[in-house]
Every structure is written in structure tokens, then in C-alpha cells.
């Protein structure tokens, strides 16, 4: 009664050991026990339901041929709601068969009505391709499913528009291609019966707010053609899925949350790599013996706001990465630099970010405490593959995924020549053909092990996986459970291992398992009323067809005010029949904000295209002299042509690795408003957050020894955004009992907690905002805490924080004070995306800082 493909895959080594036995073997391979906790997630029996009476016999037979004997109760419930015309979201666990819940009503309608059409939206191309395989495998006559995305050849697009009745795409293609070309899609949209939105929990923050308006634009065009499609959404387990889905679609949505699918038991281990001997001479944490691997992935920092975790084409939702264990000196800025994107780039996890004015990597070699999480994960991957266990390892960065795969291959080939061929890396930036071949090889058992970025976190059907390794906490419990759920998808027992980085947050979690296993999953947060999103989306809608007063109701609160602003700015012209777009070219609105067009990586000698790197990461990964890894092969960059978007490389296996080093800074541009509260000042204004890659280090692979530092001449990147900040006089801090040496830790902790609590006030996501704290800032000349919008021009979050400053900071203070920990934890002052490794932090002094602010700030 599985809803996914029933095909079983032979690992080629016979059945592997049971998860508990496998874990015992892994624990015994070194000195000491690295496992701090083992959680047993019990198996669950399934509760089947009969096929709905409306399901055609032909469709039932097709599913039965694929191994689906009958649906589970939650599948039948959601499918019947959708077939009856209710908008529905099914929010159940990984591998619970959510796809059947939307395939059943959609395909039944296509079979009953030969003119009906279905539109499927996925956040990643891999997921859309996987769903295409699943629908095509049913072999239903007349459905003609097809993917329509950036990889679709031009020659096929016209056929898809005219003949496909089940089109699989993504929000980006809907925004850039389908809606602007709605006249060409009129036949498809006129007959649209269902819109399926898969993995809808990924549409969060500003990205989710953009997607919400893309869906409203879709509803508007459908209404113009006389169609009112039913929306069916699928989500991972999340808090209040009905509210989030309703906010995303603008429609009343019924939630189905009771999971009736069977589930094999999961053995979930928390794994802390062993301490390194102080005289081991080992490379810095997270270094590797593979050419091109960054020692610690620390100084290979991404562009402002680009996730140091997954620099793939998919957004890095909920990702945190990097091991920054060094503390800033007194007076040096610290904080959450992760959400400061380059112009046009979305907020991400900038865990490798240095303090402003400090070169990234300055402190990388000061502390060598634990064995690298990357090396530990590579060894575990090699061990599980050697046992015949099909394993997926999630790694935060593209380079990390390459390194884990390469190290595992080398270890396996040393043990059994040729066995390393059964391990590969999977990440964004690969060519379409490579991605599809890797997916095929994993599905058919040609590959036993895969090291992947979060590109495979979502619902790609990976049948028969036995184990999942998670290299570092991915930033949210929702993401952690999504990744862990990739194992055991055929109902068998599975093993999941979280390998902790040498980072206070990861260390806290592996020693406080209740923070993982006893806490609820986060809610999905988005705000379609955000005027910084609403105005450009209304401009796109007007370019597609003139806006009418009825349209403003569709787009919700703030639409009329946003239209008035567009008229005042000269973007729209008001006429008796509506508001018209005034320009010849369409508005340029980037849903994901990935920092510009991708840069092609081309082999100089042959002209062969190896892959792509998003523009936001190109300065760090493709600077001249950089070592670039692609499926275990090392290349050295000869030239980076930013104007043409091309990097030329040649094959080389150097005995050194490269580490880009950048400097960042934040400066105040203007003050819009302020409150003078004696020793405390509260400000709202514009700031510039800048980043420039200035040099790179070459380091000896075996030892981590710095060979030399070479200068680079790359342009600076600047984010102009809106920030809220408060200042305190040094005297007020001293009177409150905060010693001068403790000021950086006090401000840093207060900043983290303030960022964590702002979503309560601003309806934003933590990953949409950034922060910085410093004991003396050049522009304020005082101890200062900044919190800023991680989007060009601002996104309204800082304004909301300024308007509710007293309530916001009181909630922040109470959250810190009421937390039961002694010195600070992820529930109060630690951040999953801290650029300084959550160091220094002073919980008691943060309370004192906020007490000073609240005592002086008017309500």
C-alpha cells in the first residue's frame, strides 16, 4: 500500500546490517564513543482506506500495477476533499505518500474530462523530474505529462503548451515564462482544474511572499479565462499548515495532518567527532585531504547573504553552515551577518562571515578542537557503503559535498579497488544530464552512497535508502526531520546520524537531545502584505493585463496603497478602465534573489561546459587561482570574466587548497527616525552592508599550513537596506554591571535573541533579517546593535521592529530571562546562522543590556 514506486533496488552486496548493529559497528571503529544520544523512533502500522468511489477503475489499476494496493486514510481524505472542490493542504511526515493525495484527484479529473489540465509546482527541478517519472510510469492514456522549466529545450516548449495536460514546473518559470506569455497558454489556463503546490513549506520569508503573489497572478489569469482551479498543497510537518497555506494561496484551505502511513523504525544517533590531540598537527577543523577543500569551509565565505551551506540554484532555506569558533576582540563587531545579500540576492546563512573590517579566515587556525565534521561524515559514508548500506549524506556546501564524496571514494578504493565508483556527489550547478544520470543511478542501485547538498532534502522518491548522515545541524528541526526522513522510505528500519560540527550550537544540540526530539517543528512564515514585495508583484500583474479594482481585492491588504505609490513613481498610469504598465520592458523581479546570472565553468582546453555557479558565489568559488571541484576532479581557475559570466579552468591536482578571504562592513547612510532616550538611542534608517573578496590563501592539504596569501582585484558588493539599531552609553552599561570586556558578548547575545524574536512582531522569517553588534561603531561612536532587512531596499521588517521596539525588546528580554539554561542556548541567545560561531555570548549581560534599554525607552 505504498504510494511511491514499489521498485526495490539491490545494493549489490546483499542485505546490510540492521540499523542498531550498524551503529554499534560505527561506534566501535575508533577510540572512545562519539555517540552522545540514541533516540529510537518507533515503527508505526499503517491505516488503509478503500479507494474513493469516484476514482476510475483504470486509475486504480494503474496504481495497483505500481504497487499501491489501496490508499492510506490521510491520502483518501485529502484526495476526496480536493475532488469535491475544497482547497486542501496535506501536512504529514516524510515518505507518507503525499503525492498520491494530489495525483489521485488530478488524474481522475484528467481521465474523466479529456480537456482538463493540471499544473504542478515544485521548488526544485529534481523534484519536478521525480514527479514526472512517477506520473509517466502510470502510463495513462491522454495525460501527456511534461516538465516545463529552464532545462526544457526550446523545440519542446511549443508542444508542451499545446498538448501536455499535466505540466510540471516551478514558481520561477511560472513567474518569468508562463504568466507573461499567458496568451500562448490560454488554452491550458482556460481548462485548468488543479494547481498542485508541492513542498509548500519551502515557500517562506520574502521568497514565500513573492510566490504568494505569483499564485494570485495565476488565479487572476485563470479567472480571466473563466477557470477556478482547486489548489492542493503538500507540506512537511509544520506548525499551523492551514494558516500558512491560506496565506500562500489567498484562499481558505483545509488541513489534513493525521499521518496514517506505515513507518519503519528509525534509530537516530547524535554523533560528536572526537577531540584532536593538541600536538596532532592536524589540519584545521573541516579541512580535507582533497585538493581544493577549504580548511573548515570557514574562510571560503559566500557572498553577502549567500548560504555558506548550499550554494545551489535552489534556495538555501533554513540552512546554516560554517564553523566559526573564534571570538571577536573587544570592540569588534559580531553577529548574524548571514542575511546580508549582495544586490538582488536573497537572504541566506552567512555563517562564514567575518566581522566587519576583518578578513575572513583571520582566526581559522587559532582553535583546533574536534575532528572535522566533513572528514567524520566521509568516513561514515565509506563505512556504511562498505557494509552494503545505501546511504545519503547531507552536506551544507557544494564544496563540502564534493569533498565528502571524494574522501569516501578514496577510502573505499583503498579497501576494495573499484568500490569507490559507487559513491558520488550531487549538488546544484551540475548540468541537467549529470543530475538526471545521478538520480537514475541512485534509484537503480548503481550508486550505494551519495553526498548531497539540500537539493535532495525534498520529496524526491529515494526508494530503499538504509541510512542518512547529516553533516551539521541544518538550522531548523523541520529541515532536520526532512533529511532524516530520506531513509527508510520502503518501510524498513533505518539509521539517521547527525554529525555535529565543532560549533557551540551543534555541541549544545548533541548534548541536549530534548531540543531536537522534544520540541515542535517550526511554522512556515510569510507575509504577502509586505509592500516591498507587493508593489513589484503588482507591477508584474499590470504588465500582464491592466489592473482593475477587483484585482486589488485579490492581492489583499495594502494593494491600493502600493498601486498609488506605483502611479506616483511613474510606473503605472491610471485610466478609467484600470491601471496600465507604462514601460515597454517588463518589470524585473527576482523571486529567489540569487545574486545575478549564473557563471558558466568552462574547461579551457576543450571548451566543455562543466557546470554553473550562481553569481553570488562566483567571487568566492571561481576567483583566479581558485581550486574548483567537480565530481572529484580538481580544476584550477585561469580567468573569471564577470562581464561575460564565464570562468575558464584547467585540470590540475595541486597539493594545496584555496580559501577566499573577504572583508565586510556596515555603515549608516541616513537616519529616517530616532528616539532620544537619554543613555539609549533607537534609530531607523538606511545602511550599506558591503563585502569584497580581497585575497585568497593557499594552504598545504596535508597539514593546513599556509603557503602564501595572494591578492585579488574583484569588485565590492554592496547591499543598501533598512536597519533598526539602538545605542547605549558606556556609562549606562557600567552602571548596570556590564564590564567593558563583557560588552561584546552582551551585545552579541542581545542581538541574536532580538533577531529570533522579531518574527513575532514583523511576520518575517529569521533568515530574512541580519544583525551586527559592536562595542564601538564608527558611525555611532557607541556600543550598538543593528538588525537589518536582508533584501535590497529593505523589506519592511526593520520598520516594524522600530515601531514596536518596546514590545519587541521586552519579549526578547523575557525570552532570555525565562530560558532554563545557565549560559545560553539555541532557545535564547545562540543562533543557527551566526557568523562568529556563537562566540562570545553572555546571557546574563544580555539581560542587563536590555534592562538598560527598556528602562529608558518610552513605551
Amino acid at each position: 500500500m505504498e504510494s511511491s514506486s514499489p521498485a526495490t533496488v539491490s545494493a549489490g552486496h546483499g542485505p546490510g546490517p540492521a540499523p542498531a548493529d550498524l551503529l554499534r559497528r560505527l561506534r566501535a571503529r575508533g577510540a572512545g564513543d562519539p555517540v552522545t544520544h540514541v533516540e529510537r523512533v518507533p515503527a508505526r502500522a499503517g491505516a488503509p482506506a478503500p479507494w474513493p468511489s469516484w476514482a476510475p477503475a483504470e486509475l486504480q489499476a494503474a496504481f495497483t500495477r505500481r504497487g499501491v494496493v489501496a490508499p492510506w486514510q490521510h491520502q483518501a481524505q485529502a484526495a476526496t476533499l480536493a475532488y469535491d472542490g475544497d482547497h486542501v493542504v496535506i501536512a504529514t511526515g516524510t515518505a507518507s505518500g503525499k503525492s498520491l493525495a494530489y495525483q489521485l484527484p488530478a488524474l481522475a479529473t484528467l481521465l474523466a474530462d479529456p480537456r482538463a489540465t493540471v499544473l504542478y509546482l515544485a521548488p526544485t527541478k529534481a523534484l519536478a523530474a521525480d514527479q514526472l517519472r512517477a506520473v509517466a510510469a502510470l502510463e495513462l492514456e491522454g495525460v501527456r505529462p511534461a516538465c516545463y522549466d529552464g532545462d526544457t529545450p526550446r523545440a519542446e516548449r511549443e508542444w508542451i503548451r499545446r498538448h501536455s495536460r499535466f505540466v510540471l514546473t516551478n514558481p520561477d518559470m511560472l513567474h518569468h515564462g508562463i504568466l507573461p506569455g499567458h496568451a500562448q497558454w490560454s488554452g491550458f489556463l482556460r481548462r485548468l482544474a488543479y494547481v498542485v503546490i508541492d513542498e509548500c513549506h519551502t515557500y517562506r520569508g520574502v521568497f514565500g511572499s513573492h510566490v504568494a503573489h505569483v499564485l494570485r497572478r495565476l488565479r487572476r489569469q485563470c479567472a480571466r479565462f473563466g477557470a477556478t482551479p482547486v489548489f492542493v498543497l503538500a507540506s512537511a510537518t509544520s506548525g499551523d499548515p492551514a494558516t500558512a497555506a491560506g496565506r500562500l494561496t489567498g484562499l481558505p484551505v483545509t488541513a489534513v495532518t493525521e499521518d496514517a502511513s506505515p513507518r519503519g523504525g528509525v534509530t537516530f544517533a547524535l554523533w560528536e567527532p572526537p577531540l584532536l590531540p593538541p600536538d596532532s598537527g592536524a589540519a584545521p577543523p573541516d579541512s580535507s585531504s582533497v585538493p581544493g577543500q577549504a580548511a573548515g569551509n570557514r574562510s571560503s565565505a559566500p557572498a553577502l547573504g549567500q548560504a555558506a551551506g548550499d550554494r545551489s540554484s535552489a534556495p538555501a532555506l533554513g540552512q546554516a553552515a560554517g564553523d566559526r569558533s573564534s571570538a571577536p576582540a573587544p570592540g569588534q563587531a559580531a553577529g548574524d551577518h548571514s542575511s546580508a545579500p549582495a544586490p538582488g540576492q536573497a537572504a541566506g546563512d552567512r555563517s562564514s562571515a567575518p566581522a566587519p573590517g576583518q578578513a575572513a579566515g583571520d582566526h581559522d587556525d587559532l582553535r583546533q578542537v574536534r575532528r572535522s565534521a566533513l572528514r567524520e561524515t566521509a568516513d561514515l559514508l565509506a563505512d556504511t557503503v562498505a557494509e552494503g548500506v545505501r546511504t545519503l549524506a547531507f552536506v551544507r556546501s557544494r564544496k563540502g559535498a564534493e569533498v565528502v564524496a571524494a574522501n569516501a571514494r578514496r577510502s573505499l578504493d583503498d579497501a576494495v579497488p573499484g568500490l569507490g565508483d559507487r559513491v558520488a556527489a550531487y549538488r546544484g550547478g551540475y548540468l541537467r544530464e549529470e543530475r538526471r544520470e545521478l538520480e537514475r543511478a541512485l534509484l537503480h542501485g548503481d550508486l550505494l552512497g551519495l553526498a548531497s547538498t539540500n537539493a535532495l532534502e525534498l520529496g524526491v522518491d529515494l526508494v530503499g535508502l538504509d541510512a542518512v548522515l547529516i553533516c551539521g545541524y541544518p538550522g531548523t528541526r523541520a529541515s532536520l526531520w526532512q533529511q532524516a526522513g530520506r531513509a527508510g522510505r520502503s518501510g524498513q528500519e533505518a539509521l539517521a546520524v547527525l554529525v555535529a560540527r565543532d560549533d557551540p550550537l551543534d555541541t549544545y544540540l548533541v548534548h541536549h537531545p530534548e531540543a531536537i526530539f522534544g520540541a515542535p517543528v517550526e511554522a512556515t512564515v510569510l507575509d504577502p502584505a509586505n509592500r516591498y514585495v507587493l508593489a513589484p508583484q503588482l507591477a508584474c500583474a499590470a504588465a500582464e493585463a491592466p489592473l482593475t479594482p477587483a484585482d486589488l481585492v485579490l492581492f489583499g491588504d495594502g494593494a491600493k496603497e502600493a498601486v498609488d505609490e506605483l502611479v506616483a513613481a511613474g510606473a503605472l498610469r491610471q485610466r478609467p478602465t484600470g491601471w496600465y504598465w507604462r514601460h515597454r520592458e517588463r518589470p524585473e523581479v527576482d523571486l529567489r534573489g540569487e545574486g545575478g546570472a549564473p557563471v558558466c565553468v568552462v574547461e579551457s582546453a576543450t571548451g566543455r561546459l562543466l557546470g554553473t555557479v550562481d553569481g553570488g558565489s562566483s567571487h568566492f568559488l571561481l576567483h583566479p587561482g581558485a581550486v574548483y571541484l567537480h565530481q572529484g576532479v580538481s580544476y584550477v581557475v585561469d580567468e573569471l570574466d564577470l562581464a561575460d559570466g564565464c570562468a575558464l579552468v584547467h585540470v590540475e591536482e595541486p597539493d594545496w587548497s584555496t580559501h577566499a578571504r573577504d572583508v565586510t562592513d556596515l555603515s549608516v547612510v541616513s537616519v529616517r527616525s530616532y528616539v532620544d532616550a537619554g543613555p539609549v538611542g533607537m534609530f531607523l534608517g538606511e545602511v550599506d552592508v558591503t563585502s569584497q573578496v580581497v585575497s585568497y590563501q593557499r594552504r598545504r592539504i596535508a597539514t593546513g599550513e599556509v603557503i602564501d596569501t595572494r591578492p585579488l582585484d574583484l569588485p565590492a558588493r554592496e547591499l543598501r537596506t533598512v536597519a533598526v539599531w539602538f545605542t547605549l552609553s558606556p556609562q549606562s552599561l557600567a552602571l548596570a554591571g556590564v564590564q567593558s570586556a563583557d560588552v561584546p558578548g552582551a551585545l552579541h547575545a542581545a542581538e541574536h535573541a532580538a533577531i529570533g524574536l522579531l518574527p513575532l512582531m514583523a511576520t518575517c522569517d529569521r533568515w530574512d533579517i541580519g544583525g551586527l553588534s559592536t562595542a564601538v561603531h564608527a558611525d555611532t561612536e557607541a556600543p550598538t546593535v543593528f538588525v537589518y532587512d536582508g533584501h535590497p531596499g529593505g523589506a519592511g521588517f526593520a520598520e516594524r521592529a522600530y515601531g514596536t521596539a518596546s514590545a519587541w525588546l521586552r519579549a526578547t528580554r523575557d525570552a532570555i530571562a525565562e530560558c532554563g539554561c545557565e549560559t545560553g542556548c539555541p532557545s535564547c541567545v545562540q543562533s543557527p546562522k551566526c557568523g562568529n560561531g556563537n562566540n562570545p555570548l553572555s546571557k546574563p549581560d544580555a539581560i542587563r543590556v536590555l534592562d538598560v534599554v527598556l528602562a529608558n525607552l518610552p513605551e
Side-chain angles (χ1 to χ4, degrees), residues 530-791:
N530 182 337
R531 65 187 180 92
Y532 292 93
V533 173
L534 180 55
Q537 285 292 335
L538 284 168
C540 292
E544 291 158 7
L547 292 168
T548 66
D551 293 331
L552 302 190
V553 176
L554 173 66
F555 285 95
D557 295 341
K560 180 60 169 65
E561 293 78 4
V563 164
D564 291 342
E565 291 178 5
L566 291 168
V567 171
L572 297 182
R573 175 182 289 117
Q574 186 173 6
R575 291 181 175 175
T577 53
W579 292 271
Y580 289 74
W581 178 245
R582 297 187 59 177
H583 305 293
R584 184 182 301 274
E585 67 281 357
R586 285 185 44 78
E588 290 192 10
V589 178
D590 184 1
L591 303 186
R592 301 179 189 257
E594 293 175 345
V599 176
C600 297
V601 183
V602 177
E603 189 174 18
S604 303
T606 64
R608 179 169 65 102
L609 176 64
L610 298 176
T612 61
V613 170
D614 57 271
S617 299
S618 59
H619 289 209
F620 296 87
L621 301 180
L622 297 175
H623 61 76
V627 177
Y628 175 79
L629 283 177
H630 187 90
Q631 278 296 341
V633 179
S634 292
Y635 299 84
V636 174
V637 178
D638 300 313
E639 178 185 353
L640 172 60
D641 189 333
L642 292 171
D644 290 340
C646 179
L648 299 177
V649 302
H650 68 269
V651 177
E652 185 177 340
E653 293 283 344
D655 64 353
W656 39 263
S657 57
T658 56
H659 309 261
R661 300 161 63 83
D662 73 344
V663 293
T664 60
D665 202 0
L666 183 150
S667 60
V668 176
V669 177
S670 64
V671 176
R672 295 183 181 178
S673 181
Y674 71 94
V675 175
D676 185 350
V680 172
M682 180 66 66
F683 300 83
L684 176 72
E686 291 186 328
V687 297
D688 280 338
V689 184
T690 61
S691 173
Q692 183 177 20
V693 175
V694 295
S695 63
Y696 70 97
Q697 283 186 346
R698 295 191 308 158
R699 297 183 188 172
R700 198 75 66 189
I701 289 171
T703 64
E705 169 196 0
V706 176
I707 301 171
D708 57 22
T709 299
R710 300 189 173 190
L712 290 169
D713 183 21
L714 293 172
R717 297 187 173 198
E718 181 174 290
L719 166 73
R720 176 158 293 185
T721 187
V722 179
V724 58
W725 65 95
F726 62 82
T727 62
L728 306 95
S729 70
Q731 295 82 2
S732 67
L733 291 177
L735 288 173
V738 182
Q739 302 298 317
S740 59
D742 297 327
V743 170
L747 298 176
H748 193 191
E751 171 220 327
H752 280 184
I755 288 174
L757 268 292
L758 183 54
L760 294 178
M761 307 292 169
T763 322
C764 64
D765 189 280
R766 182 170 190 150
W767 276 261
D768 285 322
I769 49 183
L772 181 143
S773 58
T774 176
V776 181
H777 191 270
D779 293 329
T780 66
E781 299 181 348
T784 310
V785 172
F786 292 89
V787 176
Y788 55 86
D789 296 349
H791 298 267

Side-chain angles (χ1 to χ4, degrees), residues 321-342:
D323 293 329
R324 287 282 300 180
S325 56
S326 55
Q332 175 187 356
D336 280 6
H337 309 293
S338 56
S339 295

Side-chain angles (χ1 to χ4, degrees), residues 123-124 202-203 207 307 310 312-319 346 454 592 594:
T124 66
T202 63
Y203 303 125
F207 173 53
D310 182 9
S312 67
S313 57
L317 300 173
Q319 288 287 322
N454 69 331
R592 301 179 189 257
E594 293 175 345

Side-chain angles (χ1 to χ4, degrees), residues 14-379:
D21 293 335
L22 175 62
L23 182 60
R24 275 195 294 271
R25 298 184 195 182
L26 296 176
R27 295 170 78 167
R29 66 179 174 81
D33 187 358
V35 175
T36 61
H37 178 79
V38 177
E39 186 80 8
R40 171 67 183 168
V41 181
R44 179 183 64 219
W51 287 105
S53 59
W54 47 262
E58 177 187 357
L59 182 57
Q60 294 181 35
F63 279 117
T64 301
R65 287 195 301 270
R66 300 299 298 166
V68 183
V69 179
W72 306 114
Q73 288 179 358
H74 66 283
Q75 295 171 326
Q77 180 187 358
T80 298
L81 284 168
Y83 191 80
D84 289 342
D86 293 328
H87 308 292
V88 61
V89 57
I90 180 167
T92 52
T94 306
S96 60
K98 292 185 283 288
S99 58
L100 182 67
Y102 54 74
Q103 289 174 2
L104 191 57
L107 294 172
T109 300
L110 294 185
L111 292 174
D113 180 357
R115 292 177 56 80
T117 60
V118 172
L119 182 66
Y120 169 93
L121 299 174
T124 66
K125 294 176 182 177
L127 182 53
D130 181 73
Q131 283 296 306
L132 175 63
R133 285 191 293 265
V135 174
L138 295 173
E139 299 179 337
L140 297 171
E141 186 176 353
V143 173
R144 299 186 293 273
C147 275
Y148 189 87
D149 56 32
D151 290 338
T152 305
R154 293 285 175 183
E156 296 179 14
R157 297 189 179 191
E158 179 63 23
W159 183 93
I160 293 173
R161 283 194 294 265
R162 290 180 176 272
H163 301 293
S164 176
R165 299 177 61 216
F166 196 121
V167 173
L168 303 99
T169 186
N170 51 60
D172 310 81
M173 198 65 176
L174 180 60
H175 165 64
H176 289 292
I178 295 176
L179 290 176
H182 57 83
Q184 295 174 297
W185 285 87
S186 60
F188 182 90
L189 296 175
R190 183 174 290 110
R191 304 189 298 270
L192 188 59
Y194 288 95
V195 176
V196 177
I197 306 172
D198 208 353
E199 305 290 0
C200 66
H201 62 282
T202 63
Y203 303 125
R204 51 193 272 181
V206 169
F207 173 53
S209 301
H210 273 295
V211 173
H213 286 297
V214 172
L215 296 177
R216 284 158 176 77
R217 286 162 50 201
L218 172 63
R219 290 174 53 203
R220 176 176 179 247
Q221 291 300 332
C222 288
R224 293 180 68 234
F225 294 119
T228 54
V230 173
F231 283 75
V232 186
L233 302 94
S235 171
T237 303
S238 66
D240 199 3
T243 298
R247 192 174 289 132
L248 184 66
T249 60
L251 296 163
V253 178
T254 301
V256 175
T257 57
E258 292 296 324
D259 192 340
S261 65
R263 173 75 200 191
V266 178
T267 301
F268 203 135
L270 304 183
W271 187 289
E272 187 174 42
L275 290 167
L276 293 171
D279 58 347
S280 64
D286 280 336
S287 65
S288 169
S289 58
V290 176
Q293 164 61 8
N297 282 345
R298 297 176 178 176
S299 56
S300 231
L304 279 172
Q306 175 63 25
D310 182 9
R311 301 181 183 100
S312 67
S313 57
L317 300 173
Q319 288 287 322
D323 293 329
R324 287 282 300 180
S325 56
S326 55
Q332 175 187 356
D336 280 6
H337 309 293
S338 56
S339 295
Q345 182 181 0
D349 291 336
R350 195 148 189 292
S351 302
S352 296
Q358 172 197 350
D362 281 353
H363 303 294
D364 285 349
D365 299 329
L366 294 182
R367 192 167 72 98
Q368 301 175 14
V369 178
R370 293 196 177 273
R371 193 166 187 264
S372 156
L374 287 174
R375 286 193 174 190
E376 198 80 349
T377 303
D379 286 352

Side-chain angles (χ1 to χ4, degrees), residues 382-400:
D383 289 344
T384 56
V385 169
E387 294 273 3
V389 174
R390 297 189 64 208
T391 307
L392 180 61
F394 283 105
V395 189
R396 242 77 71 86
S397 70
R398 291 183 177 189
K399 181 180 285 186

